[in-house]
Amino acid sequence: MKTNDVILQTTTKVVFFIIFIFSIHIFFAGHYTPGGGFVGGLLTTGALILLLLAFDLKTVQKALPFDFMKVVAVGLLLAILTASWPLFVDLPFFTHAFDDFNLPLFGETSLHTAMLFDLGVYLVVVGAAMTMIQTIGGDT
Amino acid sequence: MTVIANTLIVITISVGVLFTLVTMIGILRLPDVYTRAHAASKSTTFGVLSILLGVFFHYWLKEGLFSIQLLLAIVFLFITSPIGGHLMGRAAYISGVEKSPLTVGDELEEVVEEAKRKARPRPEID
């Protein structure tokens, strides 16, 4: 019997964007409010798992043609580069820098290199969790 | 102004808690999975939405914080909670959970039988 999951798929198409945008919000809000790279990454993974539940594995892999192992590698590389750049300018390992910038759309924004480290954590969490889920759920 | 704000907050949160209580009684007292899903997915959605609205009013009117996240949570729960009820009821029906003997009609049964009949491989090529 062919299953009819129009309701689930249509809802997923709406709800995915709510969860995804909220995960981006949590990721960027992590410096001043609860949140950060880990929770944001887990929420993004949750949104992707919702896609996997509503559609099948092949469709999601075609829609998001990432090798999630490489996402883990990029995240680790970003984290180690952020942590080690002060060594080249005679500062201790893991020294962070921040400054205020006047961006065109956002106005006065303070940017901090801890965000880059957090982006590394985010990518590692998304990549590791998605690799696990796809490995368990797939054939190979 | 404070009295109006307090009344609004207390009424919305009390309505929410009452509806959640009604949900609990419904889940305990109703006879089968479909009626329980009916109780759980409707009144608990309303109850939780009402509580969230009360919290939103509290933070907005008393603390001066317009919380977009609470509004987003209200929209999100309003979309997803009935879908959860639908999927659980559907899964229960397809895996053959018994209906209560008080059930009068079953229109889904004919549709499912028809779909099963159509899904069978036919001898001729169409």
Side-chain angles (χ1 to χ4, degrees), chain A residues 11-129:
Chain A
T11 321
T12 302
K13 283 173 196 163
V14 179
V15 164
F16 172 76
F17 289 104
I18 299 180
I19 305 178
F20 188 65
I21 290 171
F22 188 61
S23 77
I24 302 285
H25 164 76
I26 281 218
F27 170 70
F28 279 115
H31 201 71
Y32 295 111
T33 52
F38 187 75
V39 188
L42 279 185
L43 257 177
T44 308
T45 315
L48 293 176
I49 288 172
L50 182 65
L51 276 188
L52 282 174
L53 283 177
F55 303 93
D56 58 352
L57 200 60
K58 280 210 178 97
T59 317
V60 176
Q61 274 170 350
K62 207 159 55 175
L64 300 165
F66 304 126
D67 184 357
F68 282 99
M69 286 294 251
K70 282 177 187 153
V71 174
V72 176
V74 169
L76 285 175
L77 204 63
L78 198 59
I80 197 73
L81 284 181
T82 316
S84 63
W85 73 265
L87 293 178
F88 298 105
V89 289
D90 276 346
L91 284 171
F93 191 56
F94 257 118
T95 308
H96 285 298
F98 72 96
D99 205 355
D100 291 337
F101 294 96
N102 218 336
L103 297 179
L105 201 60
F106 299 97
E108 183 88 17
T109 316
S110 96
L111 297 180
H112 200 296
T113 50
M115 198 281 269
L116 291 175
F117 186 77
D118 233 15
L119 186 64
V121 174
Y122 176 90
L123 290 177
V124 168
V125 169
V126 171

Side-chain angles (χ1 to χ4, degrees), chain A residues 4 7-8 11 15 19 25, chain B residues 69 76 79 83 86-87 90:
Chain A
N4 173 13
I7 296 179
L8 179 61
T11 321
V15 164
I19 305 178
H25 164 76
Chain B
Q69 297 177 17
F76 186 80
I79 296 175
I83 305 298
H86 159 77
L87 287 174
R90 184 186 164 81

